Amino acid sequence: MTSSAARSVPPPTDLGEAMARIRADGGRITDAKRAVAELLFATDRALNADEITTAVHGIERSVLYRCLAQFEVLGIVEHIHLGHGAAVYRRRGLPTVPVACMVCGSAWEIGANETQSLRDTVLERTGVTLDLIHFPLTGRCESCQEAS
Amino acid sequence: MTSSAARSVPPPTDLGEAMARIRADGGRITDAKRAVAELLFATDRALNADEITTAVHGIERSVLYRCLAQFEVLGIVEHIHLGHGAAVYRRRGLPTVPVACMVCGSAWEIGANETQSLRDTVLERTGVTLDLIHFPLTGRCESCQEAS
DNA sequence: TTCTTTGCAAAATGTTTGCAGATAC
DNA sequence: GTATCTGCAAACATTTTGCAAAGAA
């Protein structure tokens, strides 16, 4: 495996392209990888390691993390820290960014295009090209805001 | 200690007001609390537990975390997860939000006022009132962007 | 056949908790 | 005097690592 550049590569358009990318990098297609990839390509929801482990019927934890790490390096998946707990994983290329309430933990998504003006501002001020994926946009949801 | 509402309370304007707030809540002013609070009020930089421990000359780790937790409940400090490592803590009321490069870990700040249009959009779309403090705005800095 | 992957156990990290004795007020 | 705080040790949750055996191409 020739660990490559991750986020610079475009996301794969489908499961087949994802598998091909693993092969092209010298990786092998195993039951574990196929199952995890199929799961993540079958939904737009971001899943945590527990959820994936359950869905993939008892894949070993370290194996799961290693598959996900490989997928991330290859630009196939990305992970998000929604809050203080476990990270969640989703396939790359989804056009939304996460929004989370830091009080109750509820999560939403908004279109990445809606963040354009902030991205312009931050690029100008800091040189940072935002992706807004690794961590959610954080605040308080309506009910938690009222409750305070 | 009558654990109160945290983020809803305005930040204390200075160290004295912070100490008064602890007292008012039934807390005691100890050497540890005074030292940690003085440190955080003496700088605008967000510090992690290691840095605070060093600066406060060997305060016990669990005591430090308990002080910080109490300060957060009282609206005196806030913590930020800049990346995958330890959280950083700063006094509340600073008018900036963190921006971080997820590749190299470098961090910047931008004025909270510069995020107004995003805050309007997210409030309208999701009902979430953003604070953008708990997690940084994430992306790739200029050099990491070029390197990819 | 060769290099990658698995499965298990153990480590690492950062933070939290339980508890007995010390301390603030 | 009494509730809060400290200091220590142990637990905790999530993720990472080392290694020998199994598996993919």
Side-chain angles (χ1 to χ4, degrees):
Chain A
M1 195 175 66
T2 323
S3 80
S4 45
R7 186 89 20 144
S8 48
V9 172
T13 54
D14 60 15
L15 181 60
E17 203 181 311
M19 303 309 263
R21 195 173 290 191
I22 295 168
R23 298 290 300 281
D25 193 55
R28 317 248 157 115
I29 305 301
T30 64
D31 290 352
K33 286 185 205 173
R34 194 167 10 239
V36 172
E38 276 172 5
L39 178 62
L40 294 177
F41 272 88
T43 180
D44 287 358
R45 232 172 57 72
L47 306 171
N48 66 31
D50 272 350
E51 293 170 317
I52 300 173
T53 298
T54 301
V56 176
H57 157 29
I59 182 177
E60 223 282 321
R61 227 24 191 255
S62 63
V63 173
L64 170 56
Y65 282 116
R66 281 192 271 226
C67 289
L68 291 169
Q70 184 178 63
F71 291 178
E72 289 211 58
V73 167
L74 296 177
I76 296 169
V77 311
E78 62 200 1
H79 75 275
I80 306 169
H81 297 278
L82 273 187
H84 279 169
V88 293
Y89 299 80
R90 68 179 193 184
R91 62 178 225 264
R92 258 184 83 227
L94 296 172
T96 59
V97 302
V99 176
C101 173
M102 286 294 87
V103 179
C104 68
S106 302
W108 293 258
E109 312 228 310
I110 63 165
N113 57 300
E114 314 228 53
T115 66
Q116 189 59 52
S117 93
L118 179 75
R119 296 213 303 275
D120 292 343
T121 301
V122 171
L123 181 57
E124 184 193 319
R125 292 278 187 284
T126 68
V128 174
T129 303
L130 291 183
D131 61 40
L132 301 179
I133 285 177
H134 195 78
F135 290 125
L137 298 171
T138 57
R140 313 185 130 213
C141 72
E142 222 156 347
S143 29
C144 292
Q145 184 74 22
E146 280 163 16
S148 68
Chain B
M1 193 175 66
T2 323
S3 79
S4 44
R7 184 95 14 148
S8 48
V9 172
T13 55
D14 60 16
L15 182 60
E17 205 182 309
M19 303 309 262
R21 196 173 290 191
I22 294 168
R23 297 290 302 280
D25 191 56
R28 315 242 158 120
I29 305 302
T30 63
D31 291 351
K33 287 183 202 173
R34 194 169 6 243
V36 172
E38 277 171 5
L39 178 63
L40 293 177
F41 272 87
T43 179
D44 287 357
R45 230 170 61 72
L47 306 171
N48 66 30
D50 272 349
E51 293 169 317
I52 299 174
T53 299
T54 301
V56 176
H57 158 27
I59 182 177
E60 223 282 322
R61 223 30 189 252
S62 62
V63 173
L64 170 57
Y65 282 116
R66 280 192 272 226
C67 290
L68 291 169
Q70 184 177 65
F71 291 177
E72 289 210 58
V73 167
L74 296 177
I76 296 170
V77 312
E78 61 199 2
H79 76 274
I80 307 169
H81 297 279
L82 273 188
H84 279 168
V88 293
Y89 298 80
R90 68 180 193 183
R91 65 177 222 263
R92 258 182 85 228
L94 296 173
T96 58
V97 301
V99 176
C101 172
M102 287 293 89
V103 178
C104 68
S106 302
W108 293 259
E109 312 227 311
I110 65 166
N113 57 301
E114 313 228 53
T115 66
Q116 189 59 53
S117 92
L118 179 75
R119 297 214 301 275
D120 292 343
T121 302
V122 171
L123 180 58
E124 185 192 318
R125 293 279 188 283
T126 67
V128 173
T129 303
L130 291 183
D131 63 38
L132 300 180
I133 284 176
H134 194 78
F135 290 125
L137 299 171
T138 58
R140 312 185 132 212
C141 71
E142 220 156 348
S143 29
C144 292
Q145 184 73 22
E146 280 164 15
S148 64

